[in-house]
Amino acid sequence: MKSIAALQAVVTATPFDGEPSDAELDAIDREMPAILADVVLLDAQIMTIDRTPTELDERRIRRARRRVLAARRELANRSAVVSLSGGAA
């Protein structure tokens, strides 16, 4: 039976500093337009939670949905180009 002290060096060998890596930050930057579009859509939907949406509200939600779709399409296309070119985009 091994004690936990024998495994402690393996568990604590690489300290976690709690900060995202450069690769993770780059991924967030690439996805930021889609994230912001999602936030705009949520804001438009939240505004109409407790009332019947007006024509202006419906237009705002439709516009936000189109923006989300466009941002996701752009992200998917960019990812496809990067994967096809071998990551050198």
Side-chain angles (χ1 to χ4, degrees):
M1 177 175 184
K2 292 184 180 179
S3 69
I4 195 162
L7 300 175
Q8 186 174 7
V10 175
V11 173
T12 60
T14 57
F16 179 67
D17 62 358
E19 297 295 323
S21 68
D22 289 339
E24 291 170 330
L25 290 174
D26 289 341
I28 291 170
D29 283 341
R30 281 191 306 273
E31 294 176 12
M32 191 54 70
I35 294 168
L36 294 176
D38 284 331
V39 169
V40 170
L41 176 59
L42 284 173
D43 285 343
Q45 291 171 333
I46 288 170
M47 288 179 9
T48 62
I49 283 178
D50 59 347
R51 61 183 168 89
T52 305
T54 64
E55 184 179 336
L56 180 63
D57 293 331
E58 289 173 359
R59 278 191 265 163
R60 183 178 292 127
I61 291 171
R62 275 196 311 267
R63 195 176 323 119
R65 283 185 180 142
R66 286 194 305 264
R67 190 177 298 148
V68 166
L69 291 174
R72 289 181 183 171
R73 181 184 62 234
E74 178 65 29
L75 183 62
N77 288 342
R78 198 175 324 141
S79 296
V81 168
V82 169
S83 67
L84 288 176
S85 66

